[in-house]
Amino acid sequence: MLLTRRLRYLYKMSLAVSLRRALLVLLTGAIFILTVLYWNQGATKAQAYNEALERPHSHHDASGFPIPVEKSWTYKCENDRCMRVGHHGKSAKRVSFISCSMTCGDINIWPHPTHKFLLSSQTHSFSVEDVQLHVETSHREVRKQLQLAFDWFLKDLRQIQRLDYVGSSSEPTVSESSSKSRHHADVDPAATLFGATFGVKKVGDLTSIQVKISVLKSGDLNFSLDNDETYQLSSLTEGRRLQVEITANSYFGARHGLSTLQQLIWFDDEDHLLHTYANSKVKDAPKFRYRGLMLDTSRHFFSVESIKRTIVGMGLAKMNRFHWHLSDAQSFPYISRYYPELAEHGAYSESETYTEQDVREVAEFAKIYGVQVIPEIDAPAHAGNGWDWGPKRGMGELAMCINQQPWSFYCGEPPCGQLNPKNNHTYLILQRLYEELLQHTGPTDLFHLGGDEVNLDCWAQYFNDTDLRGLWCDFMLQAMARLKLANNGVAPKHVAVWSSALTNTKCLPNSQFTVQVWGGSTWQENYDLLDNGYNVIFSHVDAWYLDCGFGSWRATGDAACAPYRTWQNVYKHRPWERMRLDKKRRKQVLGGEVCMWTEQVDENQLDNRLWPRTAALAERLWTDPSDDHDMDIVPPDVFRRISLFRNRLVELGIRAEALFPKYCAQNPGECI
Ligand SMILES: *[C@@H]1O[C@H](CO)[C@@H](O)[C@H](O)[C@H]1NC(C)=O
Ligand SMILES: *[C@@H]1O[C@H](CO)[C@@H](O)[C@H](O)[C@H]1NC(C)=O
Ligand SMILES: *[C@@H]1O[C@H](CO)[C@@H](O)[C@H](O)[C@H]1NC(C)=O
């Protein structure tokens, strides 16, 4: 478009002089442009090839974008379903699958909005380069945080529009991309001219997309279960301008509005532009406050990069808690400021460690996506490797039964290890760990102390207390007291522990402790914990354990849990309904969390073990759609939407598992 304008200008100028010279100018211009185009294409190809060689495991390989162009099909909307039709002649305009899907049937975002929404049937095309932010808030810190969130939103859109697959290779850092959007108007005009030729800068129906974000009430950026996560989004086209408004009471609500906006935008491979609706309205709020994912980084180590990738997916699915099971008996990967011996003695290798800076970086990154990082140093059980240096430092035994055999006598899974409940140094170390981790992850009203699966036979070898369970109870209360000291003398309002034999005795006060229930969803403890007044977070092993179903990793014995929990299992699980909870008990349910224990998972499988099953939980907790029909049947519309969401994850470089044959994805409703 800019190119034709320029040519027209050249043409008119020349006409005044002579037609001949004009033609000459045109011809020279065309030859020049073609030459540059040819040269540039060659350079791009060579660069892409070199990149593929340098980064063999990257998605940005020579074959290009993870989602192929499907030129041989066009789609028609019939009865709210997209029908695939062969498109072999070039005459009629092709409608891509995604453009059909986004304008056919129910709203295509995940999780589904809880309240109202309205989408116009008219859509417009645009380029990410024409998207600008306008923030309205009286809170300076919120403005800064929104700017960051918007920068990453734009980065995702660039990825979706595949702009970085044409030329540039480096990912924008936060500061780079923020300066880019701030100085948006200063685009090199020459670059724009050639950009139009090469497809770098394209112009669609819209020439300007203004995203106005208003955060009306809270200036609070501290994570809390009381964060107001509601938001409203509306958009309106005026001429060639689209005005988008996201209105929320807090940063966290606004952040979810951006996730929704991102899903109201799609890439069409016909015109290589982004598309969105001419008008839209969404009013949305979560049903549950705690929507979590737990990752165990002790059985296997996971790089900061893979954790960040996980958080990107969580943000898109509007999940809000990343529970980082940082350490266990197998390894201690965190390099503590006060006690680096823990990692020196406990990490798998020097490179399989997290520095303070790493934890801070993950927490700051997660906040951009509206996700709180909740670190957990499991104690007193699930602690062994890394805790063996006490005697050398004159601190006595910090832990017992470390790697003791036969393991099945002293722990639930090899290797064994359990902290020493009668050594004051143990508590001091925990206190300092809590203190530094809280500094990295920020002020909060929620912390996790672990506390599960103590093996009393381990302690019985050392202590002749008649009440070993009381010892466990005292340990947790002492850990709680140390947490309070670590948190500037204030105990976080919600302190989580795993469910266990201990939480069945009522020794932990229900005013302070929240129980993460990991046992079976039909176990009696579910009812008892609620009756005893505890708040709960459900992580039922029979529904929300994502590590199950991969067989036994030991020579003897059954697999720890089986079978595989499908995304439908995750989605259909509605314990608050099945248990027929009354209003009071229903309020004690803070939410739920999927758990990824990593005995049989490392970075090579992480994405596809987590996704799209984690997304299934996200909708269960955000929207909690009711099952009008059979509890066992997932409605066809859910298949359609989760399939599209899965593609959106793949588009962002998250290697989500396939749901069904691609034929079924291309032909919604035909396989179910
Ligand atoms: C956030 O937490 C910090 C540290 O505890 C506190 O000083 C600040 O007042 C909190 N912000 C709000 C808005 O409550
Ligand atoms: C344990 O340590 C705390 C402070 O770290 C101290 O106040 C307390 O007296 C100590 N207890 C014993 C038995 O040494
Ligand atoms: C535990 O046994 C030891 C001897 O093994 C004894 O000295 C100690 O008094 C006993 N403690 C209690 C509390 O019974």
Side-chain angles (χ1 to χ4, degrees):
M1 188 135 168
L2 276 164
L3 179 67
T4 44
R5 207 182 293 156
R6 172 71 169 255
L7 290 177
R8 218 174 281 149
Y9 168 72
L10 289 175
Y11 176 76
K12 271 185 196 159
M13 270 221 336
S14 315
L15 200 70
V17 187
S18 94
L19 200 64
R20 232 197 218 174
R21 196 185 288 174
L23 283 170
L24 197 69
V25 169
L26 265 175
L27 197 67
T28 320
I31 290 172
F32 173 65
I33 288 168
L34 279 171
T35 313
V36 177
L37 187 135
Y38 181 76
W39 169 78
N40 205 64
Q41 258 188 350
T44 312
K45 258 186 208 153
Q47 190 177 357
Y49 183 67
N50 285 337
E51 262 173 53
L53 286 181
E54 279 162 23
R55 298 190 290 166
H57 301 297
S58 158
H59 287 248
H60 306 244
D61 58 14
S63 65
F65 202 75
I67 297 186
V69 175
E70 292 153 14
K71 291 279 186 199
S72 47
W73 305 107
T74 186
Y75 288 84
K76 300 195 288 207
C77 181
E78 274 176 20
N79 303 323
D80 290 346
R81 271 172 57 184
C82 287
M83 310 291 287
R84 194 180 77 169
V85 181
H87 183 72
H88 306 297
K90 294 262 176 208
S91 52
K93 191 180 178 303
R94 183 176 70 101
V95 178
S96 67
F97 172 69
I98 182 83
S99 283
C100 178
S101 300
M102 294 303 289
T103 52
C104 183
D106 191 12
I107 189 171
N108 225 324
I109 72 168
W110 189 279
H112 196 281
T114 48
H115 298 313
K116 292 180 232 167
F117 65 89
L118 203 80
L119 301 175
S120 70
S121 55
Q122 201 187 354
T123 67
H124 291 310
S125 60
F126 66 97
S127 176
V128 61
E129 277 130 324
D130 295 319
V131 183
Q132 281 138 19
L133 173 67
H134 177 73
V135 178
E136 233 166 69
T137 179
S138 52
H139 308 287
R140 206 167 53 91
E141 291 304 309
V142 171
R143 173 184 305 274
K144 264 169 57 185
Q145 192 67 30
L146 281 172
Q147 180 69 54
L148 282 177
F150 196 75
D151 289 339
W152 286 91
F153 165 78
L154 285 185
K155 184 183 162 290
D156 283 352
L157 286 191
R158 280 186 70 81
Q159 164 91 0
I160 291 165
Q161 201 179 338
R162 310 171 191 202
L163 290 182
D164 297 323
Y165 287 78
V166 180
S168 84
S169 57
S170 60
E171 279 185 38
T173 64
V174 174
S175 57
E176 260 174 24
S177 68
S178 70
S179 68
K180 203 180 291 168
S181 50
R182 232 174 279 134
H183 308 297
H184 191 83
D186 318 337
V187 183
D188 179 1
T192 312
L193 172 67
F194 294 119
T197 319
F198 306 139
V200 173
K201 162 81 189 184
K202 292 191 139 209
V203 179
D205 306 334
L206 304 169
T207 50
S208 160
I209 294 87
Q210 288 277 343
V211 181
K212 182 172 135 194
I213 306 182
S214 313
V215 171
L216 302 175
K217 282 191 191 149
S218 171
D220 196 357
L221 287 171
N222 297 344
F223 280 102
S224 157
L225 281 178
D226 297 330
N227 290 146
D228 184 343
E229 297 182 285
T230 62
Y231 73 92
Q232 294 191 36
L233 180 150
S234 66
S235 67
L236 187 70
T237 307
E238 283 166 0
R240 300 188 68 184
R241 285 185 62 214
L242 179 72
Q243 182 74 43
V244 182
E245 289 197 31
I246 294 171
T247 311
N249 290 328
S250 76
Y251 166 74
F252 303 99
R255 173 55 247 181
H256 295 315
L258 268 184
S259 287
T260 293
L261 179 59
Q262 187 164 332
Q263 292 190 51
L264 296 178
I265 293 170
W266 65 96
F267 174 79
D268 191 300
D269 58 26
E270 270 293 285
D271 57 12
H272 286 256
L273 284 166
L274 299 176
H275 286 237
T276 192
Y277 304 94
N279 304 293
S280 65
K281 263 190 170 47
V282 179
K283 192 166 180 284
D284 205 2
K287 289 276 173 66
F288 288 94
R289 295 183 278 171
Y290 188 108
R291 303 179 304 281
L293 178 157
M294 188 222 71
L295 178 67
D296 160 17
T297 59
S298 171
R299 271 55 179 249
H300 277 102
F301 178 83
F302 294 84
S303 69
V304 166
E305 192 199 342
S306 69
I307 293 175
K308 283 184 174 176
R309 197 163 69 231
T310 302
I311 285 165
V312 169
M314 292 178 70
L316 197 63
K318 301 191 175 77
M319 298 192 74
N320 62 1
R321 319 282 160 185
F322 177 72
H323 172 183
W324 191 343
H325 187 84
L326 201 41
S327 66
D328 211 292
Q330 281 83 353
S331 79
F332 196 103
Y334 172 63
I335 305 176
S336 157
R337 182 190 315 165
Y338 303 111
Y339 301 101
E341 296 91 335
L342 290 162
E344 274 164 30
H345 289 243
Y348 285 130
S349 71
E350 270 172 45
S351 60
E352 287 163 289
T353 51
Y354 303 106
T355 62
E356 291 188 77
Q357 182 52 36
D358 288 338
V359 178
R360 209 174 270 272
E361 191 182 318
V362 167
E364 281 168 10
F365 183 80
K367 184 172 267 192
I368 294 172
Y369 284 87
V371 177
Q372 175 183 15
V373 173
I374 303 166
E376 176 204 351
I377 302 289
D378 206 348
H382 294 283
N385 284 287
W387 291 89
D388 59 351
W389 44 271
K392 248 191 337 206
R393 284 271 306 267
M395 296 167 93
E397 292 293 356
L398 301 169
M400 26 221 28
C401 320
I402 300 177
N403 305 337
Q404 189 175 358
Q405 295 284 356
W407 64 266
S408 59
F409 288 25
Y410 306 110
C411 59
E413 169 183 317
C416 294
Q418 207 152 280
L419 297 183
N420 183 351
K422 296 196 175 183
N423 184 343
N424 213 19
H425 292 291
T426 305
Y427 297 111
L428 182 62
I429 294 171
L430 285 177
Q431 179 186 327
R432 304 310 288 273
L433 285 171
Y434 299 155
E435 186 185 313
E436 53 186 297
L437 289 170
L438 279 165
Q439 280 172 16
H440 305 328
T441 53
T444 178
D445 61 352
L446 183 78
F447 201 77
H448 205 300
L449 293 178
D452 54 326
E453 297 188 306
V454 161
N455 182 301
L456 299 179
D457 293 331
C458 163
W459 280 347
Q461 299 173 98
Y462 302 90
F463 311 120
N464 48 12
D465 297 57
T466 46
D467 183 13
L468 287 164
R469 205 176 267 199
L471 209 53
W472 181 6
C473 189
D474 292 344
F475 186 101
M476 295 318 296
L477 294 173
Q478 181 64 242
M480 175 68 164
R482 297 306 183 117
L483 172 62
K484 185 175 166 183
L485 289 173
N487 195 41
N488 303 315
V490 187
K493 195 167 150 198
H494 307 272
V495 176
V497 290
W498 294 101
S499 56
S500 66
L502 181 68
T503 50
N504 286 338
T505 71
K506 289 177 256 175
C507 81
L508 305 177
N510 64 15
S511 57
Q512 291 186 298
F513 284 90
T514 289
V515 180
Q516 181 169 10
V517 186
W518 70 268
S521 59
T522 56
W523 294 8
Q524 182 60 32
E525 66 171 2
N526 288 284
Y527 300 91
D528 294 346
L529 287 165
L530 289 168
D531 289 347
N532 292 337
Y534 290 104
N535 286 329
V536 299
I537 295 163
F538 286 130
S539 288
H540 292 135
V541 60
D542 48 347
W544 291 345
Y545 265 37
L546 302 185
D547 55 304
C548 298
F550 291 87
S552 175
W553 50 275
R554 297 194 285 256
T556 56
D558 292 334
C561 54
Y564 182 81
R565 281 57 165 140
T566 65
W567 72 264
Q568 293 97 325
N569 297 147
V570 175
Y571 190 81
K572 284 179 318 199
H573 189 53
R574 279 185 101 196
W576 41 90
E577 283 296 311
R578 192 197 288 188
M579 291 169 70
R580 298 179 195 283
L581 299 183
D582 60 21
K583 255 209 171 115
K584 176 175 169 284
R585 285 175 178 75
R586 166 80 195 236
K587 269 186 87 171
Q588 288 166 244
V589 180
L590 302 180
E593 182 164 283
V594 281
C595 293
M596 179 53 77
W597 301 104
T598 58
E599 283 88 349
Q600 294 165 287
V601 184
D602 75 3
E603 210 164 310
N604 294 300
Q605 302 87 35
L606 183 67
D607 289 11
N608 61 59
R609 292 275 160 96
L610 287 178
W611 305 103
R613 293 186 295 161
T614 297
L617 179 80
E619 179 157 298
R620 176 49 59 214
L621 295 173
W622 179 277
T623 323
D624 192 24
S626 60
D627 298 276
D628 297 334
H629 22 256
D630 196 340
M631 276 289 277
D632 293 332
I633 292 174
V634 175
D637 170 62
V638 175
F639 276 83
R640 181 179 71 98
R641 281 185 307 106
I642 200 169
S643 170
L644 222 69
F645 186 77
R646 182 261 172 192
N647 287 355
R648 285 191 179 273
L649 294 172
V650 173
E651 207 169 35
L652 295 178
I654 298 167
R655 300 190 166 201
E657 193 167 57
L659 293 160
F660 37 40
K662 180 157 180 174
Y663 177 86
C664 308
Q666 279 189 341
N667 295 274
E670 282 203 16
C671 301
I672 38 179

